[in-house]
Amino acid sequence: MVAALRRLLPHLLPHLLPHAALALGAGVMLLPFYWMVLTSIRPPAEIFNVSLWPIPESFAGLANYARAASQAPMARFMLNGVIVCAGILVVQVLTAVPAAYALAKLKFPGRRLLLTLVIAALCVPIQALALPLFVGLAKAQLLNTYFAQMAPFFLSVFAIFLFRQSFRSYPDEVIEAARLDGFTEMEICWGLVMRGSLPALAAFSVFSIVAHWNDLYWPMIVVSDTALAPPPLGMLLFSDAESGADYGALMAGAAIVTAPMVLCFLIARRHFIAGITMTGVK
Amino acid sequence: MTPQSLDLVGIGKSFDGADVLENIDLAIRPGEFLSLVGASGCGKSTLLRIIAGLETPDRGSVAIGGRDVTEADPSDRNIAMVFQSYALYPHMSVRQNIATPLRMRRLPLAARLPVIGRLVPGLGATRREIASAVEDAAEALQIRPLLDRKPAQLSGGQRQRVALARALVRAPAAFLMDEPLSNLDAKLRAHMREELAGLHRRLGATFVYVTHDQIEAMTMSDRVALMEAGRILQLGTPAELYERPASLSVARFIGTPAMNLLPVEIDGAGRISGLGRDLGLEAPQGKRGPATLGLRPEDLRFVANGSPARILRTEHHGADRYVTLEILDRSAPTLTLRQRADEEPIPGADGTVALGFHAGRAHLFGADGARLVLRARRQVAA
Ligand SMILES: Nc1ncnc2c1ncn2[C@@H]1O[C@H](COP(=O)(O)OP(=O)(O)OP(=O)(O)O)[C@@H](O)[C@H]1O
Ligand SMILES: [Mg+2]
């Protein structure tokens, strides 16, 4: 038995090693989530216990989750999150798809320059724009609105770039056949080219929804009203105001907030992975 | 729809400063099957795309049925195109693919929208007409059993048929085809060639057919336009191109095996000498200097008294035999002779043969490549 294993090991090792390394990486990434779930079912006395054993000495999950659900307007936060994420995603797709189609498939002067600008804009972080955006929104009396939370993200250069990469592989001759048949450019853009890139749409949707559902930075700048707060900001306001140091309830709230994202990914997983590998964006 | 004429006048096009088409004039008659042939990169596809409106010419004009369409959108030209890659809509079934050109023309935008389009009232009759036109086109190309499949589930030959059905469903002013058979295997290609020719006879429509395969062009066309480097070298019937090539380039391109080309010399009196002797042929006055004599393989023959040559190789092609020969003691290129398989080569006493040619069918090209008039002093020269 041991001898057989020793004989096999040199053959297995090259296969096992990469998987072991990836598993280790995944473990490191997942640890905080595990910790969050763990804390959400521990009683206050065990919060600072460093043990990773999954079963707490006394199970406080029910109490924690009940407290989180009753003390904070969780449903309100989630609804705000849904409104903001959906609003952002819809406008992003509506604007990015025609732009990406034009950059990928139409010939016009300045196309290369515009593409360069798109790639350059990928490098500008939201933090650099925060101040002018904030001042602009404040002057327009738009602070503390859904619009203020969504507006800076309506135009996504990342989406334009991702869709352009995906659209480029759509066969030109099909587009030309469509032009001969009398399709309008918008019908070609949405009905043929976008239709052929659904995995890219799924991938981008996951990126966008996760990013904006989890965003704390921008909502914190433009929203102070609890009734408009998306989940992370809501959790923050809630922990400040109500719970003090009730980490169990806080983590229970965080677990509730994270759950839709995990679901969203699981549903779109196949398309998401296909979209990522297809477009070559990582 | 009655077949329409296509008129191209002074078409020029360049990409990034490189001239791809230079001053193309081409008048295609209604109902004609015209092929554009030429080597890869000579601008055939570009010319076809200009006719279709997918590319705008830098100079010149395009008219369809006498109407100037140079500035018109592709969809306003009522032209159907079959692409080399077939260009079927990948997410639609065969039925929907064939119906699309009609739907786009006959249904308003709202009725074409997915799902809600069905709710637009008052179009039942139109939808039924479209459905029956699709059935007819599918019947004509024998693809009815495939109507509910997706393009990805079809073989190359089947996709080809669907593409043809989609083109002919709406009776266009003209059909444009860009190497539609090049992705098929040899047997299917020969079959589809026949079928396309039959389709053209049945429909009586104007066909413009792009190919780099001269056999396709010669077998199907009423006329052939031979292109090279963005120009039309010669426009004529297949027989004209074969029997009276206007230039050396045309002579080289048309015919398999290719025409034999011999370097010859014209003297001051117009006598032509080659292979170290007077060939018994006369060129027009004032054309003295080097020239090229062109001899089709079937116009070479074994004679009792001719240029001594040695047989290098014999290829059997069923009814025909191609014999590759080398002229003895000369730096002339090797020649190909074509004879019927039932003819016996005549071997000479020392294993060599004597080669002659049909002087009345020889072609003469001047130093600039242009065709020159040739007169034979004797019937068979050597
Ligand atoms: N969109 C374009 N941009 C730049 N150059 C082009 C473009 N389309 C064609 N060309 C160039 O124009 C020339 C003619 O191209 P075209 O496609 O018309 O050739 P073709 O005769 O159809 O060749 P083939 O038999 O290989 O299809 C080629 O040299 C090609 O590189
Ligand atoms: Mg081509």
Side-chain angles (χ1 to χ4, degrees):
Chain A
M1 175 68 202
V2 174
L5 203 65
R6 194 166 293 153
R7 222 159 13 81
L8 273 176
L9 212 57
H11 300 284
L12 283 177
L13 217 56
H15 298 286
L16 289 178
L17 221 54
H19 280 106
L22 289 174
L24 198 71
V28 171
M29 302 292 280
L30 284 174
L31 195 62
F33 287 95
Y34 179 63
W35 196 272
M36 174 183 80
V37 176
L38 207 58
T39 310
S40 75
I41 56 171
R42 281 176 170 171
E46 286 181 54
I47 294 288
F48 296 103
N49 191 340
V50 291
S51 145
L52 283 178
W53 184 244
I55 302 161
E57 280 155 38
S58 67
F59 183 78
L62 279 182
N64 284 343
Y65 280 87
R67 256 201 329 285
S70 63
Q71 287 179 4
M74 290 305 294
R76 182 77 226 176
F77 296 157
M78 306 271 264
L79 179 68
N80 292 341
V82 169
I83 292 172
V84 169
C85 286
I88 290 174
L89 180 64
V90 167
V91 181
Q92 276 177 335
V93 171
L94 283 178
T95 51
V97 167
Y101 171 66
L103 287 174
K105 290 297 181 189
L106 301 183
K107 274 185 265 175
F108 56 91
R111 175 165 97 141
R112 300 252 317 253
L113 180 71
L114 284 177
L115 183 64
T116 314
L117 284 178
V118 165
I119 293 168
L122 278 174
C123 311
V124 180
I126 172 77
Q127 285 80 357
L129 307 173
L131 197 60
L133 281 170
F134 174 77
V135 172
L137 288 166
K139 287 258 189 264
Q141 305 270 310
L142 285 169
L143 293 182
N144 269 322
T145 57
Y146 287 126
F147 181 80
Q149 297 184 56
M150 299 189 281
F153 309 104
F154 280 161
L155 301 181
S156 165
V157 281
F158 174 64
I160 295 176
F161 184 69
L162 184 99
F163 286 130
R164 183 197 101 101
Q165 292 306 92
S166 170
F167 290 175
R168 252 156 46 111
S169 61
Y170 198 84
D172 287 325
E173 291 198 336
V174 176
I175 295 177
E176 291 177 344
R179 291 205 181 114
L180 282 167
D181 280 345
F183 281 72
T184 62
E185 288 300 315
M186 276 297 163
E187 283 176 290
I188 294 175
C189 171
W190 293 99
L192 295 176
V193 179
M194 182 69 251
R195 177 112 188 208
S197 286
L198 290 182
L201 180 63
F204 175 70
S205 302
V206 171
F207 275 128
S208 171
I209 292 173
V210 169
H212 296 294
W213 183 270
N214 292 338
D215 189 21
L216 177 61
Y217 178 78
W218 186 250
M220 210 155 95
I221 292 176
V222 293
V223 171
S224 53
D225 183 350
T226 322
L228 291 173
L233 182 64
M235 294 305 302
L236 187 72
L237 298 174
F238 158 65
S239 75
D240 281 356
E242 319 275 341
S243 62
D246 187 352
Y247 290 107
L250 201 58
M251 287 303 124
I256 296 173
V257 163
T258 325
M261 288 306 93
V262 175
L263 264 179
C264 163
F265 174 75
L266 287 180
I267 293 168
R269 185 177 53 179
R270 252 202 19 242
H271 292 301
F272 178 74
I273 291 168
I276 298 288
T277 45
M278 197 172 74
T279 53
V281 174
K282 289 191 193 89
Chain B
M1 185 97 206
T2 50
Q4 300 288 324
S5 62
L6 299 174
D7 293 285
L8 309 181
V9 181
I11 298 285
K13 176 81 189 172
S14 54
F15 287 115
D16 314 319
D19 275 353
V20 169
L21 294 176
E22 303 172 23
N23 203 28
I24 299 264
D25 291 308
L26 188 58
I28 303 169
R29 302 169 191 142
E32 180 172 35
F33 194 127
L34 183 123
S35 292
L36 297 170
V37 240
S40 189
C42 69
K44 308 177 296 282
S45 299
T46 306
L47 188 58
L48 201 69
R49 292 160 50 78
I50 285 175
I51 300 176
L54 297 169
E55 204 83 71
T56 6
D58 298 339
R59 297 177 296 281
S61 67
V62 181
I64 298 175
R67 183 173 72 98
D68 189 314
V69 292
T70 315
E71 303 291 327
D73 281 340
S75 57
D76 294 337
R77 302 186 180 204
N78 192 24
I79 266 183
M81 187 151 167
V82 178
F83 295 85
Q84 183 174 355
S85 65
Y86 315 137
L88 301 176
Y89 303 118
H91 65 280
M92 296 184 193
S93 69
V94 169
R95 187 189 301 281
Q96 290 167 324
N97 260 286
I98 301 175
T100 297
L102 293 178
R103 284 169 49 84
M104 299 310 293
R105 253 142 237 274
R106 302 220 191 131
L107 297 181
L109 181 64
R112 303 201 301 256
L113 291 173
V115 191
I116 27 177
R118 287 261 144 215
L119 304 178
V120 177
L123 292 167
T126 314
R127 286 187 197 281
R128 275 192 298 279
E129 275 167 37
I130 293 176
S132 83
V134 169
E135 295 283 334
D136 292 347
E139 185 70 51
L141 286 149
Q142 297 145 35
I143 46 172
R144 288 189 69 154
L146 309 176
L147 278 176
D148 293 310
R149 296 216 203 146
K150 289 277 171 70
Q153 302 165 318
L154 302 176
S155 73
Q158 290 169 333
R159 274 179 223 180
Q160 173 64 60
R161 282 162 187 280
V162 176
L164 281 172
R166 185 177 68 176
L168 65 84
V169 72
R170 68 184 163 89
F175 289 90
L176 309 182
M177 310 201 176
D178 194 351
E179 311 204 15
L181 306 186
S182 58
N183 289 343
L184 306 181
D185 66 50
K187 196 167 166 213
L188 194 55
R189 203 177 316 159
H191 175 74
M192 285 306 290
R193 225 158 51 204
E194 228 163 82
E195 223 168 284
L196 273 178
L199 200 64
H200 174 247
R201 270 197 306 278
R202 273 211 313 282
L203 299 174
T206 312
F207 276 48
V208 185
Y209 188 95
V210 164
T211 177
H212 57 250
D213 179 350
Q214 49 152 319
I215 298 186
E216 264 175 34
M218 302 292 275
T219 50
M220 294 192 288
S221 321
D222 297 321
R223 286 195 300 164
V224 176
L226 179 62
M227 292 182 64
E228 189 184 82
R231 260 176 304 209
I232 294 183
L233 294 181
Q234 188 171 0
L235 171 65
T237 63
E240 276 166 12
L241 260 69
Y242 191 80
E243 283 157 18
R244 293 184 49 83
S247 68
L248 197 53
S249 310
V250 178
R252 276 208 190 95
F253 193 88
I254 302 288
T256 35
M259 184 186 274
N260 296 299
L261 298 171
L262 288 174
V264 294
E265 194 68 33
I266 307 177
D267 72 8
R271 280 192 298 268
I272 298 170
S273 53
L275 300 172
R277 60 166 77 193
D278 182 350
L279 294 173
L281 297 168
E282 247 174 48
Q285 293 292 322
K287 292 287 181 187
R288 82 177 281 183
T292 307
L293 189 73
L295 299 166
R296 292 270 176 220
E298 61 272 25
D299 298 333
L300 287 178
R301 55 183 63 173
F302 297 116
V303 293
N305 195 1
S307 301
R310 187 172 54 225
I311 295 180
L312 294 180
R313 184 168 74 240
T314 306
E315 280 176 39
H316 297 277
H317 288 256
D320 281 340
R321 182 159 57 204
Y322 301 163
V323 186
T324 309
L325 301 140
E326 178 185 49
I327 304 279
L328 293 181
D329 303 328
R330 294 291 147 203
S331 54
T334 58
L335 304 177
T336 309
L337 175 149
R338 173 187 194 154
Q339 59 174 193
R340 293 178 48 109
D342 52 14
E343 287 177 63
E344 276 297 314
I346 316 161
D350 48 357
T352 61
V353 291
L355 197 62
F357 61 90
H358 192 307
R361 291 225 282 255
H363 308 267
L364 184 66
F365 304 98
D368 59 353
R371 183 183 184 86
L372 297 176
V373 186
L374 190 62
R375 222 164 50 77
R377 293 202 307 257
R378 300 196 292 272
Q379 200 45 44
V380 172

